[in-house]
Amino acid sequence: MGCDRWVMLVIPIIYALSNVSGELKRFEQPSKGDGSLSFLVIGDWGRRGAFNQSQVAFQMGKMGEKLDIDFVVSTGDNFYDNGLRSVHDPAFEESFTNIYTANSLQKQWYSVLGNHDYRGDADAQLSPLLTKIDTRWLCLRSFIVNAELAEIIFVDTTPFVKSYFQDPEDHIYDWRGINPRKHYIANLLKDVECALRESNAKWKIVVGHHAIKSVGHHGDTKELATHLLPILKANNVDFYMNGHDHCLEHISDTESPIQFLTSGAGSKAWRGDVKQLNREGLKFFYDGQGFMSVQLTQSNAEIAFYDVDGKILHRWNAFKQFGDHSSI
């Protein structure tokens, strides 16, 4: 039996419901005429332009034009410090619409929620009312983007982290739609596994806010390593992309072809602390602001990281032939 799912169509930044039957909504994102695909990845950004957010946005615009990007991926923590207060919160336009103004960035933005987003009105970011304010905006808890060449599964990782429930400190989280937590996580994992198992895409990508592996300030997310990572390994996922740590980072899994790519440097960064975990697979780490680009063809993937001045800090290529994984 196939996975039940929602199917949506993005043409190119307006989406319409075409089927309703399951948990994960699916959006169809056309690739270029030659079958290739390119997009930018940014995370942990919404600070009304402060902490170099505007400078990063400017460089994103330049690179977006150069690469002729098809869309932008946001890895969460979209609005600081405590998400949006409501759908009428001016922070939406002050931190998003008025910042990412380049022509090349007027494409669909696919976004997930981060832990800071859950500290506000989480449902506000999911509301279609925001899309009426800015048609680029698309944010759901978990969903699938079928970009023909690649299938990208966006996963709501914040509910996995026990400490947000058991020891929230002074923070108040908006858990509407999440509790009971174990039931929510079990259903989500089932949906992700089913979608990956049925995918015939050349490139399989999973996006979440929290890192599975990181040498940055927050380090590994043990709940994801325990529950999500085995599913990714079993279903030949190529890339796991995340934010949360305010850095740029590339770690190769030592037990599978998965590449762990952190792009959480959209504004405030420079924490100055690096953990000693995952050193064996560490390819690149940068503690400052910046973003990431992804270019895909049938046989090649090129990942690049850029700093606040647009300088390429790290470039990495993966090649595929008949389903095999190899990289340089």
mmCIF file of all heavy atoms in Angstrom, residues 239-263:
data_model
loop_
_atom_site.group_PDB
_atom_site.id
_atom_site.type_symbol
_atom_site.label_atom_id
_atom_site.label_comp_id
_atom_site.label_asym_id
_atom_site.label_seq_id
_atom_site.Cartn_x
_atom_site.Cartn_y
_atom_site.Cartn_z
ATOM 1 N N PHE A 239 21.667 13.921 1.672
ATOM 2 C CA PHE A 239 22.015 15.085 2.463
ATOM 3 C C PHE A 239 20.991 15.311 3.572
ATOM 4 O O PHE A 239 19.789 15.218 3.332
ATOM 5 C CB PHE A 239 22.050 16.352 1.599
ATOM 6 C CG PHE A 239 22.909 16.236 0.370
ATOM 7 C CD1 PHE A 239 22.342 16.306 -0.888
ATOM 8 C CD2 PHE A 239 24.280 16.045 0.475
ATOM 9 C CE1 PHE A 239 23.125 16.197 -2.028
ATOM 10 C CE2 PHE A 239 25.073 15.938 -0.656
ATOM 11 C CZ PHE A 239 24.486 16.017 -1.911
ATOM 12 N N TYR A 240 21.494 15.610 4.756
ATOM 13 C CA TYR A 240 20.645 16.132 5.819
ATOM 14 C C TYR A 240 21.087 17.563 6.064
ATOM 15 O O TYR A 240 22.259 17.824 6.390
ATOM 16 C CB TYR A 240 20.766 15.310 7.106
ATOM 17 C CG TYR A 240 19.924 15.891 8.237
ATOM 18 C CD1 TYR A 240 18.555 15.664 8.274
ATOM 19 C CD2 TYR A 240 20.490 16.694 9.222
ATOM 20 C CE1 TYR A 240 17.763 16.208 9.272
ATOM 21 C CE2 TYR A 240 19.713 17.244 10.228
ATOM 22 C CZ TYR A 240 18.346 16.998 10.246
ATOM 23 O OH TYR A 240 17.564 17.561 11.226
ATOM 24 N N MET A 241 20.165 18.512 5.906
ATOM 25 C CA MET A 241 20.466 19.934 6.025
ATOM 26 C C MET A 241 19.744 20.511 7.225
ATOM 27 O O MET A 241 18.567 20.227 7.443
ATOM 28 C CB MET A 241 20.032 20.665 4.748
ATOM 29 C CG MET A 241 20.689 20.132 3.487
ATOM 30 S SD MET A 241 20.059 20.941 1.986
ATOM 31 C CE MET A 241 21.033 20.068 0.738
ATOM 32 N N ASN A 242 20.434 21.355 7.992
ATOM 33 C CA ASN A 242 19.862 21.880 9.236
ATOM 34 C C ASN A 242 20.419 23.250 9.549
ATOM 35 O O ASN A 242 21.342 23.749 8.897
ATOM 36 C CB ASN A 242 20.159 20.935 10.398
ATOM 37 C CG ASN A 242 21.645 20.760 10.655
ATOM 38 O OD1 ASN A 242 22.293 19.911 10.031
ATOM 39 N ND2 ASN A 242 22.201 21.570 11.541
ATOM 40 N N GLY A 243 19.858 23.859 10.576
ATOM 41 C CA GLY A 243 20.365 25.095 11.143
ATOM 42 C C GLY A 243 20.702 24.858 12.601
ATOM 43 O O GLY A 243 21.429 23.957 12.945
ATOM 44 N N HIS A 244 20.125 25.689 13.495
ATOM 45 C CA HIS A 244 20.234 25.591 14.951
ATOM 46 C C HIS A 244 21.592 26.054 15.444
ATOM 47 O O HIS A 244 21.655 26.993 16.260
ATOM 48 C CB HIS A 244 19.923 24.174 15.441
ATOM 49 C CG HIS A 244 19.645 24.088 16.907
ATOM 50 N ND1 HIS A 244 18.801 24.957 17.571
ATOM 51 C CD2 HIS A 244 20.108 23.214 17.857
ATOM 52 C CE1 HIS A 244 18.742 24.627 18.849
ATOM 53 N NE2 HIS A 244 19.529 23.594 19.054
ATOM 54 N N ASP A 245 22.677 25.408 15.052
ATOM 55 C CA ASP A 245 23.984 25.955 15.367
ATOM 56 C C ASP A 245 24.252 27.107 14.408
ATOM 57 O O ASP A 245 24.104 26.958 13.192
ATOM 58 C CB ASP A 245 25.076 24.883 15.239
ATOM 59 C CG ASP A 245 25.289 24.140 16.545
ATOM 60 O OD1 ASP A 245 25.097 24.754 17.612
ATOM 61 O OD2 ASP A 245 25.654 22.949 16.501
ATOM 62 N N HIS A 246 24.660 28.257 14.970
ATOM 63 C CA HIS A 246 24.827 29.471 14.172
ATOM 64 C C HIS A 246 26.193 29.461 13.496
ATOM 65 O O HIS A 246 27.095 30.233 13.834
ATOM 66 C CB HIS A 246 24.658 30.702 15.055
ATOM 67 C CG HIS A 246 23.282 30.821 15.633
ATOM 68 N ND1 HIS A 246 22.894 31.875 16.428
ATOM 69 C CD2 HIS A 246 22.181 30.021 15.512
ATOM 70 C CE1 HIS A 246 21.622 31.717 16.784
ATOM 71 N NE2 HIS A 246 21.188 30.591 16.248
ATOM 72 N N CYS A 247 26.306 28.575 12.520
ATOM 73 C CA CYS A 247 27.579 28.369 11.850
ATOM 74 C C CYS A 247 27.315 27.768 10.476
ATOM 75 O O CYS A 247 26.170 27.516 10.091
ATOM 76 C CB CYS A 247 28.471 27.435 12.675
ATOM 77 S SG CYS A 247 27.785 25.760 12.870
ATOM 78 N N LEU A 248 28.396 27.544 9.747
ATOM 79 C CA LEU A 248 28.363 26.784 8.501
ATOM 80 C C LEU A 248 29.244 25.560 8.712
ATOM 81 O O LEU A 248 30.344 25.664 9.267
ATOM 82 C CB LEU A 248 28.901 27.627 7.344
ATOM 83 C CG LEU A 248 28.182 28.957 7.086
ATOM 84 C CD1 LEU A 248 28.922 29.758 6.031
ATOM 85 C CD2 LEU A 248 26.734 28.720 6.660
ATOM 86 N N GLU A 249 28.759 24.401 8.241
ATOM 87 C CA GLU A 249 29.443 23.173 8.655
ATOM 88 C C GLU A 249 29.140 22.041 7.681
ATOM 89 O O GLU A 249 28.045 21.946 7.122
ATOM 90 C CB GLU A 249 28.929 22.806 10.052
ATOM 91 C CG GLU A 249 29.559 21.634 10.716
ATOM 92 C CD GLU A 249 29.017 21.470 12.133
ATOM 93 O OE1 GLU A 249 27.952 22.048 12.454
ATOM 94 O OE2 GLU A 249 29.656 20.750 12.907
ATOM 95 N N HIS A 250 30.144 21.183 7.466
ATOM 96 C CA HIS A 250 29.982 19.991 6.635
ATOM 97 C C HIS A 250 30.662 18.818 7.331
ATOM 98 O O HIS A 250 31.866 18.852 7.587
ATOM 99 C CB HIS A 250 30.602 20.223 5.246
ATOM 100 C CG HIS A 250 30.620 19.022 4.362
ATOM 101 N ND1 HIS A 250 31.414 18.918 3.246
ATOM 102 C CD2 HIS A 250 29.913 17.853 4.417
ATOM 103 C CE1 HIS A 250 31.216 17.749 2.660
ATOM 104 N NE2 HIS A 250 30.307 17.083 3.358
ATOM 105 N N ILE A 251 29.860 17.813 7.648
ATOM 106 C CA ILE A 251 30.364 16.585 8.249
ATOM 107 C C ILE A 251 29.920 15.409 7.385
ATOM 108 O O ILE A 251 28.752 15.305 7.020
ATOM 109 C CB ILE A 251 29.831 16.396 9.685
ATOM 110 C CG1 ILE A 251 30.364 17.496 10.603
ATOM 111 C CG2 ILE A 251 30.210 15.020 10.236
ATOM 112 C CD1 ILE A 251 29.780 17.450 12.015
ATOM 113 N N SER A 252 30.848 14.521 7.045
ATOM 114 C CA SER A 252 30.520 13.294 6.321
ATOM 115 C C SER A 252 30.303 12.171 7.323
ATOM 116 O O SER A 252 31.125 11.972 8.228
ATOM 117 C CB SER A 252 31.648 12.900 5.364
ATOM 118 O OG SER A 252 31.775 13.831 4.314
ATOM 119 N N ASP A 253 29.204 11.451 7.149
ATOM 120 C CA ASP A 253 28.968 10.302 8.019
ATOM 121 C C ASP A 253 30.008 9.232 7.723
ATOM 122 O O ASP A 253 30.314 8.955 6.550
ATOM 123 C CB ASP A 253 27.562 9.754 7.782
ATOM 124 C CG ASP A 253 27.157 8.726 8.824
ATOM 125 O OD1 ASP A 253 27.625 8.833 9.975
ATOM 126 O OD2 ASP A 253 26.382 7.811 8.492
ATOM 127 N N THR A 254 30.556 8.640 8.735
ATOM 128 C CA THR A 254 31.601 7.625 8.554
ATOM 129 C C THR A 254 31.022 6.240 8.287
ATOM 130 O O THR A 254 31.763 5.324 7.959
ATOM 131 C CB THR A 254 32.511 7.571 9.799
ATOM 132 O OG1 THR A 254 31.711 7.321 10.954
ATOM 133 C CG2 THR A 254 33.251 8.896 9.968
ATOM 134 N N GLU A 255 29.686 6.101 8.427
ATOM 135 C CA GLU A 255 29.072 4.787 8.261
ATOM 136 C C GLU A 255 28.098 4.713 7.092
ATOM 137 O O GLU A 255 27.483 3.671 6.855
ATOM 138 C CB GLU A 255 28.336 4.395 9.550
ATOM 139 C CG GLU A 255 29.254 4.314 10.767
ATOM 140 C CD GLU A 255 28.465 4.038 12.044
ATOM 141 O OE1 GLU A 255 27.218 4.059 11.981
ATOM 142 O OE2 GLU A 255 29.106 3.807 13.085
ATOM 143 N N SER A 256 27.934 5.822 6.370
ATOM 144 C CA SER A 256 26.999 5.859 5.246
ATOM 145 C C SER A 256 27.387 7.026 4.338
ATOM 146 O O SER A 256 28.247 7.840 4.699
ATOM 147 C CB SER A 256 25.560 6.038 5.751
ATOM 148 O OG SER A 256 25.319 7.391 6.111
ATOM 149 N N PRO A 257 26.749 7.139 3.170
ATOM 150 C CA PRO A 257 27.081 8.259 2.270
ATOM 151 C C PRO A 257 26.462 9.598 2.699
ATOM 152 O O PRO A 257 26.656 10.594 2.010
ATOM 153 C CB PRO A 257 26.483 7.814 0.923
ATOM 154 C CG PRO A 257 26.196 6.355 1.053
ATOM 155 C CD PRO A 257 25.897 6.131 2.497
ATOM 156 N N ILE A 258 25.734 9.645 3.795
ATOM 157 C CA ILE A 258 25.035 10.876 4.182
ATOM 158 C C ILE A 258 26.025 11.994 4.499
ATOM 159 O O ILE A 258 27.020 11.794 5.200
ATOM 160 C CB ILE A 258 24.141 10.630 5.410
ATOM 161 C CG1 ILE A 258 23.058 9.591 5.108
ATOM 162 C CG2 ILE A 258 23.466 11.927 5.864
ATOM 163 C CD1 ILE A 258 22.232 9.211 6.310
ATOM 164 N N GLN A 259 25.717 13.175 3.968
ATOM 165 C CA GLN A 259 26.471 14.382 4.296
ATOM 166 C C GLN A 259 25.597 15.251 5.204
ATOM 167 O O GLN A 259 24.444 15.539 4.872
ATOM 168 C CB GLN A 259 26.840 15.150 3.031
ATOM 169 C CG GLN A 259 27.568 14.318 1.986
ATOM 170 C CD GLN A 259 28.879 13.756 2.496
ATOM 171 O OE1 GLN A 259 29.682 14.478 3.103
ATOM 172 N NE2 GLN A 259 29.113 12.464 2.262
ATOM 173 N N PHE A 260 26.149 15.687 6.333
ATOM 174 C CA PHE A 260 25.442 16.560 7.271
ATOM 175 C C PHE A 260 25.889 17.996 7.012
ATOM 176 O O PHE A 260 27.074 18.325 7.156
ATOM 177 C CB PHE A 260 25.745 16.142 8.710
ATOM 178 C CG PHE A 260 25.341 14.732 9.022
ATOM 179 C CD1 PHE A 260 26.289 13.717 9.079
ATOM 180 C CD2 PHE A 260 24.010 14.409 9.237
ATOM 181 C CE1 PHE A 260 25.917 12.407 9.364
ATOM 182 C CE2 PHE A 260 23.630 13.098 9.521
ATOM 183 C CZ PHE A 260 24.580 12.100 9.574
ATOM 184 N N LEU A 261 24.941 18.834 6.612
ATOM 185 C CA LEU A 261 25.239 20.189 6.167
ATOM 186 C C LEU A 261 24.489 21.191 7.037
ATOM 187 O O LEU A 261 23.256 21.218 7.033
ATOM 188 C CB LEU A 261 24.835 20.359 4.702
ATOM 189 C CG LEU A 261 25.435 19.323 3.735
ATOM 190 C CD1 LEU A 261 24.756 19.430 2.374
ATOM 191 C CD2 LEU A 261 26.952 19.518 3.601
ATOM 192 N N THR A 262 25.219 22.000 7.776
ATOM 193 C CA THR A 262 24.613 23.011 8.644
ATOM 194 C C THR A 262 24.689 24.377 7.986
ATOM 195 O O THR A 262 25.780 24.834 7.626
ATOM 196 C CB THR A 262 25.315 23.066 10.010
ATOM 197 O OG1 THR A 262 25.154 21.807 10.681
ATOM 198 C CG2 THR A 262 24.727 24.173 10.886
ATOM 199 N N SER A 263 23.526 25.020 7.836
ATOM 200 C CA SER A 263 23.469 26.403 7.368
ATOM 201 C C SER A 263 22.557 27.152 8.336
ATOM 202 O O SER A 263 21.345 27.268 8.122
ATOM 203 C CB SER A 263 22.942 26.486 5.938
ATOM 204 O OG SER A 263 22.938 27.829 5.484
#
